[in-house]
Amino acid sequence: RTCDQLRCTACDFRVSLFNDYIWDQSCDYLFFRNNMPEFSKLRAKMIKKKGARAYACQCSWRSIDELTDLQTYQQLRWVCGKH
């Protein structure tokens, strides 16, 4: 089950998700702070990868390429906004 309305409780920003992309390893906090949620700017550090998904808010980001429980990432402060 995937929530498409994740929200970060740390930066109070909606988590964006991008299908078939992963984040480049050079991504850092300032990149997301300055470029979220502008896809045209974020794309500079995105890599096409079929079946993967790139997630990001203004303070955290993850690339997922297999079924993963995001709750296992203790440092993420993402909650589903549907509830």
Side-chain angles (χ1 to χ4, degrees):
R1 187 177 74 129
T2 302
C3 177
D4 61 356
Q5 294 181 22
L6 290 171
R7 184 160 213 68
C8 180
T9 60
C11 65
D12 196 34
F13 214 76
R14 184 172 177 180
V15 177
S16 295
L17 57 96
F18 306 96
N19 290 320
D20 297 322
Y21 285 100
I22 59 172
W23 297 115
D24 185 84
Q25 289 185 344
S26 67
C27 288
D28 61 15
Y29 172 83
L30 284 177
F31 173 75
F32 291 102
R33 189 77 184 162
N34 292 328
N35 297 302
M36 280 300 290
E38 303 288 330
F39 178 74
S40 59
K41 294 179 181 179
L42 294 170
R43 193 153 181 201
K45 294 204 179 215
M46 297 172 96
I47 301 167
K48 270 280 211 204
K49 184 171 182 185
K50 188 127 177 91
R53 185 177 282 166
Y55 292 87
C57 60
Q58 275 196 324
C59 69
S60 300
W61 62 97
R62 287 290 176 275
S63 297
I64 306 294
D65 60 2
E66 61 185 22
L67 191 58
T68 304
D69 183 354
L70 289 177
Q71 292 177 338
T72 61
Y73 293 106
Q74 296 293 324
Q75 67 275 31
L76 290 179
R77 301 288 183 244
W78 297 349
V79 296
C80 186
K82 287 184 177 179
H83 304 326

